Short mmCIF file of all heavy atoms in Angstrom, two decimals:
data_model
loop_
_atom_site.label_atom_id
_atom_site.label_comp_id
_atom_site.label_asym_id
_atom_site.label_seq_id
_atom_site.Cartn_x
_atom_site.Cartn_y
_atom_site.Cartn_z
N TYR A 1 -172.64 -26.25 88.85
CA TYR A 1 -173.35 -25.70 87.69
C TYR A 1 -172.74 -26.14 86.36
O TYR A 1 -173.31 -25.86 85.31
CB TYR A 1 -173.49 -24.18 87.76
CG TYR A 1 -172.20 -23.39 87.91
CD1 TYR A 1 -171.37 -23.15 86.83
CD2 TYR A 1 -171.84 -22.88 89.15
CE1 TYR A 1 -170.20 -22.43 86.97
CE2 TYR A 1 -170.69 -22.15 89.30
CZ TYR A 1 -169.87 -21.92 88.21
OH TYR A 1 -168.72 -21.21 88.35
N HIS A 2 -171.61 -26.84 86.36
CA HIS A 2 -171.06 -27.43 85.14
C HIS A 2 -171.69 -28.79 84.82
O HIS A 2 -171.42 -29.36 83.76
CB HIS A 2 -169.55 -27.66 85.27
CG HIS A 2 -168.76 -26.39 85.32
ND1 HIS A 2 -167.83 -26.16 86.29
CD2 HIS A 2 -168.77 -25.30 84.53
CE1 HIS A 2 -167.28 -24.97 86.10
NE2 HIS A 2 -167.84 -24.43 85.04
N LEU A 3 -172.48 -29.29 85.74
CA LEU A 3 -173.05 -30.63 85.60
C LEU A 3 -174.44 -30.60 84.98
O LEU A 3 -175.17 -29.62 85.10
CB LEU A 3 -173.13 -31.31 86.96
CG LEU A 3 -171.82 -31.41 87.76
CD1 LEU A 3 -172.08 -32.03 89.12
CD2 LEU A 3 -170.76 -32.16 86.98
N ALA A 4 -174.79 -31.69 84.33
CA ALA A 4 -176.15 -31.91 83.85
C ALA A 4 -176.98 -32.44 85.03
O ALA A 4 -176.42 -32.85 86.05
CB ALA A 4 -176.14 -32.91 82.69
N PRO A 5 -178.30 -32.45 84.91
CA PRO A 5 -179.14 -32.96 86.00
C PRO A 5 -178.83 -34.41 86.40
O PRO A 5 -179.14 -34.81 87.52
CB PRO A 5 -180.57 -32.84 85.45
CG PRO A 5 -180.49 -31.70 84.49
CD PRO A 5 -179.12 -31.83 83.85
N ASN A 6 -178.17 -35.17 85.52
CA ASN A 6 -177.83 -36.55 85.87
C ASN A 6 -176.57 -36.65 86.73
O ASN A 6 -176.14 -37.73 87.11
CB ASN A 6 -177.68 -37.42 84.62
CG ASN A 6 -176.50 -37.01 83.74
OD1 ASN A 6 -175.75 -36.09 84.07
ND2 ASN A 6 -176.34 -37.69 82.62
N GLY A 7 -175.94 -35.50 87.03
CA GLY A 7 -174.78 -35.50 87.92
C GLY A 7 -173.44 -35.61 87.21
O GLY A 7 -172.40 -35.61 87.86
N TYR A 8 -173.46 -35.71 85.89
CA TYR A 8 -172.22 -35.79 85.12
C TYR A 8 -171.96 -34.46 84.42
O TYR A 8 -172.87 -33.66 84.21
CB TYR A 8 -172.31 -36.92 84.09
CG TYR A 8 -172.26 -38.28 84.72
CD1 TYR A 8 -173.43 -38.97 85.00
CD2 TYR A 8 -171.04 -38.87 85.05
CE1 TYR A 8 -173.40 -40.21 85.59
CE2 TYR A 8 -171.00 -40.12 85.65
CZ TYR A 8 -172.17 -40.78 85.93
OH TYR A 8 -172.15 -42.01 86.52
N LEU A 9 -170.74 -34.26 84.02
CA LEU A 9 -170.33 -33.04 83.35
C LEU A 9 -171.18 -32.78 82.12
O LEU A 9 -171.35 -33.65 81.27
CB LEU A 9 -168.85 -33.17 82.96
CG LEU A 9 -168.11 -31.94 82.51
CD1 LEU A 9 -168.15 -30.84 83.55
CD2 LEU A 9 -166.64 -32.31 82.23
N HIS A 10 -171.73 -31.59 82.02
CA HIS A 10 -172.57 -31.21 80.88
C HIS A 10 -171.68 -30.99 79.65
O HIS A 10 -170.64 -30.33 79.74
CB HIS A 10 -173.33 -29.93 81.22
CG HIS A 10 -174.47 -29.64 80.31
ND1 HIS A 10 -174.31 -29.30 78.98
CD2 HIS A 10 -175.81 -29.66 80.53
CE1 HIS A 10 -175.48 -29.10 78.44
NE2 HIS A 10 -176.42 -29.32 79.35
N ALA A 11 -172.09 -31.52 78.51
CA ALA A 11 -171.30 -31.38 77.28
C ALA A 11 -171.03 -29.92 76.93
O ALA A 11 -169.95 -29.57 76.47
CB ALA A 11 -172.02 -32.07 76.12
N ALA A 12 -171.99 -29.05 77.18
CA ALA A 12 -171.81 -27.63 76.86
C ALA A 12 -170.70 -27.00 77.69
O ALA A 12 -170.01 -26.08 77.21
CB ALA A 12 -173.12 -26.87 77.06
N SER A 13 -170.48 -27.46 78.90
CA SER A 13 -169.38 -26.95 79.72
C SER A 13 -168.03 -27.32 79.10
O SER A 13 -167.11 -26.50 79.05
CB SER A 13 -169.45 -27.53 81.14
OG SER A 13 -170.64 -27.12 81.79
N VAL A 14 -167.93 -28.55 78.62
CA VAL A 14 -166.70 -29.01 77.98
C VAL A 14 -166.45 -28.23 76.69
O VAL A 14 -165.33 -27.79 76.41
CB VAL A 14 -166.77 -30.53 77.70
CG1 VAL A 14 -165.53 -31.00 76.95
CG2 VAL A 14 -166.95 -31.30 79.00
N ILE A 15 -167.49 -28.04 75.91
CA ILE A 15 -167.36 -27.30 74.65
C ILE A 15 -166.97 -25.85 74.92
O ILE A 15 -166.15 -25.28 74.19
CB ILE A 15 -168.66 -27.40 73.83
CG1 ILE A 15 -168.80 -28.84 73.29
CG2 ILE A 15 -168.69 -26.40 72.69
CD1 ILE A 15 -170.11 -29.15 72.64
N ALA A 16 -167.51 -25.25 75.97
CA ALA A 16 -167.14 -23.87 76.31
C ALA A 16 -165.64 -23.77 76.61
O ALA A 16 -164.98 -22.82 76.18
CB ALA A 16 -167.95 -23.38 77.50
N LEU A 17 -165.10 -24.74 77.34
CA LEU A 17 -163.67 -24.74 77.63
C LEU A 17 -162.85 -24.87 76.36
O LEU A 17 -161.94 -24.08 76.10
CB LEU A 17 -163.33 -25.88 78.60
CG LEU A 17 -161.85 -26.11 78.88
CD1 LEU A 17 -161.20 -24.90 79.53
CD2 LEU A 17 -161.68 -27.36 79.75
N ALA A 18 -163.20 -25.85 75.53
CA ALA A 18 -162.43 -26.10 74.29
C ALA A 18 -162.54 -24.93 73.32
O ALA A 18 -161.53 -24.48 72.76
CB ALA A 18 -162.93 -27.39 73.63
N ASP A 19 -163.74 -24.40 73.12
CA ASP A 19 -163.92 -23.31 72.17
C ASP A 19 -163.24 -22.04 72.64
O ASP A 19 -162.71 -21.27 71.84
CB ASP A 19 -165.41 -23.08 71.93
CG ASP A 19 -165.67 -22.19 70.72
OD1 ASP A 19 -165.10 -22.46 69.64
OD2 ASP A 19 -166.44 -21.23 70.85
N THR A 20 -163.23 -21.80 73.94
CA THR A 20 -162.55 -20.63 74.48
C THR A 20 -161.04 -20.73 74.25
O THR A 20 -160.40 -19.76 73.83
CB THR A 20 -162.85 -20.46 75.98
OG1 THR A 20 -164.26 -20.26 76.15
CG2 THR A 20 -162.09 -19.29 76.57
N ALA A 21 -160.47 -21.89 74.51
CA ALA A 21 -159.03 -22.07 74.28
C ALA A 21 -158.69 -21.83 72.81
O ALA A 21 -157.72 -21.13 72.49
CB ALA A 21 -158.59 -23.47 74.71
N CYS A 22 -159.49 -22.38 71.92
CA CYS A 22 -159.27 -22.16 70.48
C CYS A 22 -159.44 -20.70 70.11
O CYS A 22 -158.66 -20.14 69.33
CB CYS A 22 -160.22 -23.02 69.65
SG CYS A 22 -159.95 -24.79 69.82
N GLY A 23 -160.46 -20.07 70.66
CA GLY A 23 -160.72 -18.66 70.34
C GLY A 23 -159.60 -17.75 70.80
O GLY A 23 -159.16 -16.86 70.06
N TYR A 24 -159.09 -17.97 72.00
CA TYR A 24 -157.99 -17.14 72.48
C TYR A 24 -156.74 -17.39 71.65
O TYR A 24 -156.00 -16.46 71.34
CB TYR A 24 -157.72 -17.40 73.95
CG TYR A 24 -158.73 -16.77 74.90
CD1 TYR A 24 -159.99 -16.35 74.47
CD2 TYR A 24 -158.43 -16.58 76.24
CE1 TYR A 24 -160.90 -15.78 75.33
CE2 TYR A 24 -159.34 -16.00 77.11
CZ TYR A 24 -160.56 -15.61 76.66
OH TYR A 24 -161.47 -15.04 77.51
N GLY A 25 -156.52 -18.64 71.29
CA GLY A 25 -155.38 -18.94 70.41
C GLY A 25 -155.53 -18.27 69.06
O GLY A 25 -154.56 -17.75 68.50
N CYS A 26 -156.74 -18.26 68.54
CA CYS A 26 -157.00 -17.63 67.25
C CYS A 26 -156.73 -16.13 67.31
O CYS A 26 -156.10 -15.57 66.41
CB CYS A 26 -158.45 -17.91 66.83
SG CYS A 26 -158.85 -17.35 65.16
N ILE A 27 -157.18 -15.48 68.37
CA ILE A 27 -156.94 -14.05 68.54
C ILE A 27 -155.45 -13.75 68.42
O ILE A 27 -155.04 -12.78 67.77
CB ILE A 27 -157.46 -13.55 69.91
CG1 ILE A 27 -158.98 -13.55 69.92
CG2 ILE A 27 -156.91 -12.17 70.24
CD1 ILE A 27 -159.57 -13.33 71.30
N LEU A 28 -154.65 -14.59 69.06
CA LEU A 28 -153.20 -14.34 69.10
C LEU A 28 -152.48 -14.84 67.85
O LEU A 28 -151.29 -14.60 67.70
CB LEU A 28 -152.61 -14.98 70.34
CG LEU A 28 -153.15 -14.41 71.65
CD1 LEU A 28 -152.62 -15.19 72.84
CD2 LEU A 28 -152.82 -12.93 71.78
N SER A 29 -153.19 -15.51 66.97
CA SER A 29 -152.58 -16.06 65.75
C SER A 29 -153.17 -15.46 64.48
O SER A 29 -153.00 -16.03 63.40
CB SER A 29 -152.79 -17.59 65.72
OG SER A 29 -152.26 -18.20 66.86
N LEU A 30 -153.88 -14.36 64.60
CA LEU A 30 -154.49 -13.76 63.41
C LEU A 30 -153.44 -13.28 62.43
O LEU A 30 -152.42 -12.71 62.84
CB LEU A 30 -155.39 -12.58 63.81
CG LEU A 30 -156.70 -12.94 64.51
CD1 LEU A 30 -157.39 -11.69 65.01
CD2 LEU A 30 -157.60 -13.75 63.59
N PRO A 31 -153.68 -13.49 61.14
CA PRO A 31 -152.74 -12.99 60.13
C PRO A 31 -152.80 -11.47 60.01
O PRO A 31 -153.78 -10.84 60.44
CB PRO A 31 -153.20 -13.67 58.84
CG PRO A 31 -154.63 -13.99 59.07
CD PRO A 31 -154.80 -14.22 60.54
N GLU A 32 -151.80 -10.90 59.42
CA GLU A 32 -151.74 -9.46 59.23
C GLU A 32 -152.97 -8.96 58.49
O GLU A 32 -153.44 -9.57 57.53
CB GLU A 32 -150.49 -9.10 58.42
CG GLU A 32 -150.24 -7.62 58.34
CD GLU A 32 -148.93 -7.28 57.65
OE1 GLU A 32 -147.97 -8.07 57.77
OE2 GLU A 32 -148.90 -6.25 56.98
N GLY A 33 -153.53 -7.87 58.97
CA GLY A 33 -154.70 -7.26 58.34
C GLY A 33 -156.03 -7.75 58.87
O GLY A 33 -157.07 -7.18 58.56
N ALA A 34 -156.02 -8.82 59.65
CA ALA A 34 -157.27 -9.36 60.20
C ALA A 34 -157.74 -8.50 61.37
O ALA A 34 -156.93 -7.93 62.10
CB ALA A 34 -157.06 -10.80 60.66
N THR A 35 -159.06 -8.40 61.51
CA THR A 35 -159.64 -7.61 62.60
C THR A 35 -160.28 -8.47 63.68
O THR A 35 -160.66 -7.95 64.73
CB THR A 35 -160.70 -6.65 62.05
OG1 THR A 35 -161.72 -7.42 61.38
CG2 THR A 35 -160.10 -5.65 61.09
N GLY A 36 -160.42 -9.75 63.44
CA GLY A 36 -161.04 -10.64 64.40
C GLY A 36 -161.35 -11.98 63.76
O GLY A 36 -160.81 -12.32 62.71
#
């Protein structure tokens, strides 16, 4: 289910991985006073 119909990795799957890693890093790196 990570693949596109052509049998190769779907770009959205790759972006989901990258954006999630950045998002989790951001959560843990928020400056004082930030809520999200």
Side-chain angles (χ1 to χ4, degrees):
Y1 57 79
H2 292 129
L3 304 177
N6 66 1
Y8 289 96
L9 192 57
H10 195 292
S13 297
V14 176
I15 289 171
L17 173 62
D19 193 50
T20 299
C22 294
Y24 284 19
C26 187
I27 289 169
L28 298 174
S29 302
L30 288 172
E32 188 175 328
T35 58

